Amino acid sequence: MAQQDRAIRTRRLILEAAASVFDDLGYDRATIAEVLERAGVTKGALYFHFASKEQLALAVLDEHVLDIAVEPQKIKLQEFVDAGQVLAYRLRSDPIQRGAARLAVEQGSNHLDRKQSMLAWTRFVVELLDQARDRGEIMESVVVPETAELFVGAFAGLQLMSHALTNQADLSQRLTIFFQHTLPSIAVPAILAKLNLDPERGAKLDAALQGKALADAAADAEAGVPAR
Amino acid sequence: MAQQDRAIRTRRLILEAAASVFDDLGYDRATIAEVLERAGVTKGALYFHFASKEQLALAVLDEHVLDIAVEPQKIKLQEFVDAGQVLAYRLRSDPIQRGAARLAVEQGSNHLDRKQSMLAWTRFVVELLDQARDRGEIMESVVVPETAELFVGAFAGLQLMSHALTNQADLSQRLTIFFQHTLPSIAVPAILAKLNLDPERGAKLDAALQGKALADAAADAEAGVPAR
């Protein structure tokens, strides 16, 4: 394995361990020692990648947004629904998404700026909704920034409720219910009738995305390109 | 002041101090010592009312639901909107509601059962929506428990986002936007057209409720009834 490859994998290993510690203990009670224990790496390896617990948390929060890139769809609003469902699915299955979600919703008694995570998500949703508007998919009455912030805020709460009641098992279903209640006020009728709000969609899309990532990595390896 | 009166007031004083400590520090970092300091009462007085930090937290969470009793309205869905807006207003102004909100959304690394708070809120909303259904105010397609849980979950998230971005200053506005997006999927059109979703309504209703409580207390005092 090339040295650069190994460094990327070690960084990922540390990030996943840190996210699971944040998920279990929260920011305040998380320790570097616990992250080292779970990652099985040396202190030197960790500090090579991350200068502090805060840096670790910020890196975990960064992954929260960057990880969601769904397949393009004919209807842009379907991509909006899909991004939500993939995220909901990953909050069940992916330690980094779980850790990031807890960091994003904990009320700060420390220096982490949780606003940034919410604002980054809002920008992501605004962009999708603006594209949907350009294509005539959403109603004139929709104020995109308001709808985007509603989605981000409500999602945080649904995630929290699902975590408390079912350890995220019913989050996809809760998200579908949210879409069923709000999309009739957002989408024009002809688009609304074509949207797929199936709560199982997140798992299917995630599997497709993982498959594509693996195929890309295999193609890169064949071509001698370093791991992405 | 009668001894019973004094005990009720001391209990309230301790509860408000505890809630403000939970709001500022979270459950894990809150201490009985800090509550004593803020309440200005003796350790003996505190332990007369509350056996532990956990008991204090549970009592704060209890107030979260019990405190919202809005004036009856001709349209039951208006009471549903009003309860949300009064709560949103109190989350800005009332230390107990603020502390309870933080306790209710913190992911537990301790023995507090946060489920109970969410389930109690859900029962409260289910009851209002069932009454609205009995009066023909909501559409056939509405599944009351789903809509109630959506409301409770989404409210928790909007509260969290408002806290992070504006220290709750825009929560009433966010709640109005939530109602604007969801009520067209809940209320029958003739009712929808009559609902008042004004974000300023919470402040007005709260003032009216406080005025009524003061008048009741004055009437009770005149009649020699102990404080409620």
Side-chain angles (χ1 to χ4, degrees), chain A residues 90-102:
Chain A
R90 289 189 182 163
L91 281 170
R92 288 206 320 254
S93 59
D94 178 338
I96 291 194
Q97 297 297 336
R98 293 178 67 99
R102 174 153 186 186

Side-chain angles (χ1 to χ4, degrees), chain B:
Chain B
M1 200 190 298
Q3 210 175 335
Q4 200 191 350
D5 265 27
R6 203 172 301 135
I8 290 169
R9 276 164 212 230
T10 303
R11 184 178 186 281
R12 186 78 191 174
L13 201 66
I14 296 167
L15 218 52
E16 288 189 2
S20 84
V21 174
F22 290 133
D23 183 35
D24 292 344
L25 304 178
Y27 183 81
D28 286 341
R29 289 153 58 117
T31 61
I32 296 275
E34 182 66 28
V35 176
L36 292 174
E37 169 91 25
R38 295 198 192 181
V41 302
T42 63
K43 210 181 254 195
L46 188 147
Y47 283 108
F48 174 76
H49 292 283
F50 304 99
S52 63
K53 181 167 87 168
E54 190 178 347
Q55 290 300 317
L56 271 171
L58 290 171
V60 167
L61 283 168
D62 265 356
E63 293 285 323
H64 204 22
V65 169
L66 302 176
D67 251 357
I68 303 291
V70 297
E71 289 291 295
Q73 302 288 328
K74 275 189 193 163
I75 298 177
K76 213 69 195 174
L77 270 187
Q78 185 68 55
E79 289 181 33
F80 166 62
V81 170
D82 289 353
Q85 290 292 7
V86 168
L87 178 60
Y89 175 72
R90 289 188 182 165
L91 282 170
R92 288 205 322 254
S93 58
D94 178 339
I96 291 193
Q97 297 296 338
R98 292 178 67 100
R102 175 154 186 184
L103 288 174
V105 300
E106 270 188 349
Q107 191 167 315
S109 49
N110 51 61
H111 302 302
L112 262 193
D113 185 359
R114 285 172 189 75
K115 280 186 206 178
Q116 295 315 317
S117 170
M118 292 197 177
L119 295 175
W121 272 107
T122 302
R123 283 191 298 274
F124 176 81
V125 176
V126 163
E127 202 176 312
L128 281 172
L129 291 179
D130 275 342
Q131 291 173 19
R133 161 148 287 165
D134 289 345
R135 297 181 186 201
E137 293 174 8
I138 67 181
M139 292 198 279
E140 275 295 326
S141 57
V142 173
V143 180
V144 165
E146 285 185 355
T147 300
E149 291 201 10
L150 169 65
F151 178 75
V152 173
F155 187 95
L158 295 177
Q159 165 310 92
L160 215 137
M161 190 167 187
S162 177
H163 193 289
L165 299 181
T166 66
N167 196 25
Q168 312 285 33
D170 65 6
L171 180 55
S172 307
Q173 181 60 32
R174 286 180 191 278
L175 187 60
T176 292
I177 291 168
F178 174 74
F179 283 133
Q180 288 169 341
H181 278 77
T182 53
L183 285 170
S185 301
I186 298 170
V188 300
I191 293 293
L192 183 63
K194 289 184 184 163
L195 293 174
N196 181 345
L197 307 183
D198 182 5
E200 299 302 320
R201 199 167 157 85
K204 287 176 205 156
L205 289 167
D206 183 63
L209 288 168
Q210 304 278 3
K212 191 172 169 295
L214 284 174
D216 285 351
D220 285 352
E222 204 145 311
V225 180
R228 299 177 187 210

Side-chain angles (χ1 to χ4, degrees), chain A:
Chain A
M1 200 191 298
Q3 210 175 334
Q4 200 191 350
D5 265 27
R6 202 172 301 135
I8 290 170
R9 276 164 214 232
T10 303
R11 185 178 185 281
R12 186 77 191 176
L13 201 67
I14 296 166
L15 218 52
E16 288 189 2
S20 84
V21 174
F22 290 134
D23 184 36
D24 292 344
L25 304 178
Y27 183 81
D28 287 341
R29 289 152 58 116
T31 61
I32 296 278
E34 183 66 28
V35 176
L36 291 174
E37 170 91 25
R38 296 198 191 180
V41 301
T42 63
K43 210 181 256 195
L46 188 145
Y47 283 109
F48 174 75
H49 292 283
F50 303 100
S52 63
K53 181 167 88 169
E54 191 178 346
Q55 290 301 317
L56 271 171
L58 290 171
V60 168
L61 283 168
D62 264 356
E63 294 285 322
H64 203 23
V65 168
L66 302 177
D67 251 357
I68 304 291
V70 297
E71 289 291 297
Q73 302 288 328
K74 275 189 195 163
I75 298 176
K76 212 70 194 174
L77 270 187
Q78 186 67 55
E79 290 180 33
F80 167 61
V81 170
D82 290 353
Q85 288 294 6
V86 168
L87 178 61
Y89 175 72
R90 289 189 182 163
L91 281 170
R92 288 206 320 254
S93 59
D94 178 338
I96 291 194
Q97 297 297 336
R98 293 178 67 99
R102 174 153 186 186
L103 288 174
V105 300
E106 271 188 349
Q107 190 167 315
S109 49
N110 52 60
H111 301 302
L112 264 193
D113 184 359
R114 286 171 189 77
K115 278 187 206 177
Q116 295 314 318
S117 171
M118 294 198 174
L119 294 175
W121 272 108
T122 303
R123 282 191 298 273
F124 176 81
V125 177
V126 163
E127 202 176 311
L128 281 172
L129 292 179
D130 274 341
Q131 291 173 18
R133 161 149 287 165
D134 288 346
R135 297 179 185 205
E137 293 174 7
I138 67 180
M139 292 199 277
E140 276 295 325
S141 56
V142 173
V143 180
V144 166
E146 285 185 356
T147 301
E149 290 201 10
L150 169 64
F151 178 76
V152 172
F155 187 95
L158 295 177
Q159 175 291 106
L160 217 139
M161 189 167 188
S162 177
H163 193 289
L165 298 181
T166 67
N167 195 26
Q168 311 284 34
D170 66 5
L171 180 55
S172 307
Q173 181 60 33
R174 286 180 191 279
L175 187 59
T176 291
I177 292 168
F178 174 74
F179 283 133
Q180 287 169 343
H181 278 77
T182 52
L183 284 171
S185 300
I186 298 170
V188 300
I191 293 293
L192 184 64
K194 289 184 185 163
L195 292 174
N196 181 344
L197 307 183
D198 182 6
E200 300 301 321
R201 199 167 157 84
K204 286 174 206 155
L205 290 167
D206 184 64
L209 289 168
Q210 304 279 3
K212 191 172 168 296
L214 284 175
D216 285 351
D220 285 352
E222 204 146 311
V225 180
R228 298 176 190 211

